[in-house]
Amino acid sequence: MRFRVGSKVVYPAHGVAKIVAREPRMLDGKKVTYLVLSVPERGWGTSGDMKVSVPEDRAEDLGVRTAISEEDAEDVLQVLAATDVRVPSNWSRRFKNHQEKLKSGDVYECAEVVRNLALRQRNGSLSTAEKSMYAKARHILTSELAVSWKVDDEEAALRVDRALGLVPEN
């Protein structure tokens, strides 16, 4: 995959990032091209944007990819809407399972984590660590869906909340 400066990509650990530069660097006497990604911390263009550099030839192996299509985004909503799901009742097993899903970088697995934690939150049974994981997973998911749907993060979050049954349909 050829990455273009200025395009938005998904970086698994942080959600959507913008490619802001392509920089050649010397590494062990070899010229290696790095992609410089800008990850918004509180919205695009804030001083809190984090910069991440990844070797271009390994970017895909590291999970950097384009956002899913609009059609696939609709499939994600179906994952979120499922209510008959099984999750380990043991906290540590459940937490580890969710961590692995998030590390995969797969948007459907991220959606499963968001759904599972939202269901548990409705029952008021999220630990502090799970609340943090839920917020991070929601951010990663909604930032990608916003790009797929070509809407802002707030609109994507609203659609996610509707699919989760947290807010009524219009």
Side-chain angles (χ1 to χ4, degrees), residues 82-100:
T83 55
D84 186 27
V85 295
R86 299 191 63 166
V87 239
S89 56
N90 176 284
W91 182 89
S92 62
R93 192 170 296 137
R94 183 176 63 245
F95 191 79
K96 184 175 181 180
N97 179 276
H98 286 151
Q99 278 182 319
E100 291 302 315

Side-chain angles (χ1 to χ4, degrees), residues 74-157:
E74 296 304 319
D75 292 341
V76 168
L77 293 181
Q78 292 179 1
V79 170
L80 293 171
T83 55
D84 186 27
V85 295
R86 299 191 63 166
V87 239
S89 56
N90 176 284
W91 182 89
S92 62
R93 192 170 296 137
R94 183 176 63 245
F95 191 79
K96 184 175 181 180
N97 179 276
H98 286 151
Q99 278 182 319
E100 291 302 315
K101 286 177 183 275
L102 290 177
K103 277 186 201 172
S104 76
D106 182 273
V107 69
Y108 295 100
E109 292 197 4
C110 182
E112 288 177 16
V113 172
V114 169
R115 176 200 62 212
N116 295 347
L117 293 176
L119 288 170
R120 289 192 69 79
Q121 186 176 46
R122 265 193 227 153
N123 301 330
S125 59
L126 283 186
S127 68
T128 303
E130 285 177 313
K131 286 178 186 174
S132 176
M133 178 183 279
Y134 178 53
K136 180 178 181 178
R138 251 183 89 79
H139 167 73
I140 290 170
L141 181 65
T142 57
S143 69
E144 179 167 359
L145 293 175
V147 171
S148 300
W149 288 321
K150 298 173 185 67
V151 299
D152 61 25
D153 287 353
E154 291 77 25
E155 173 62 25

Side-chain angles (χ1 to χ4, degrees), residues 16-98:
V16 171
K18 185 175 186 177
I19 301 174
V20 294
R22 181 179 273 113
E23 295 178 350
R25 299 181 187 169
M26 292 303 285
L27 186 65
D28 294 330
K30 273 178 73 176
K31 184 178 170 184
V32 178
T33 303
Y34 277 76
L35 297 174
V36 180
L37 309 178
S38 176
V39 181
E41 292 296 312
R42 293 178 302 274
W44 293 102
T46 64
S47 60
D49 288 0
M50 176 177 57
K51 298 285 190 256
V52 178
S53 295
V54 295
E56 185 171 15
D57 63 348
R58 293 201 50 234
E60 285 185 72
D61 296 338
L62 296 171
V64 177
R65 60 179 175 75
T66 58
I68 59 172
S69 69
E70 193 169 349
E71 296 80 31
D72 288 341
E74 296 304 319
D75 292 341
V76 168
L77 293 181
Q78 292 179 1
V79 170
L80 293 171
T83 55
D84 186 27
V85 295
R86 299 191 63 166
V87 239
S89 56
N90 176 284
W91 182 89
S92 62
R93 192 170 296 137
R94 183 176 63 245
F95 191 79
K96 184 175 181 180
N97 179 276
H98 286 151

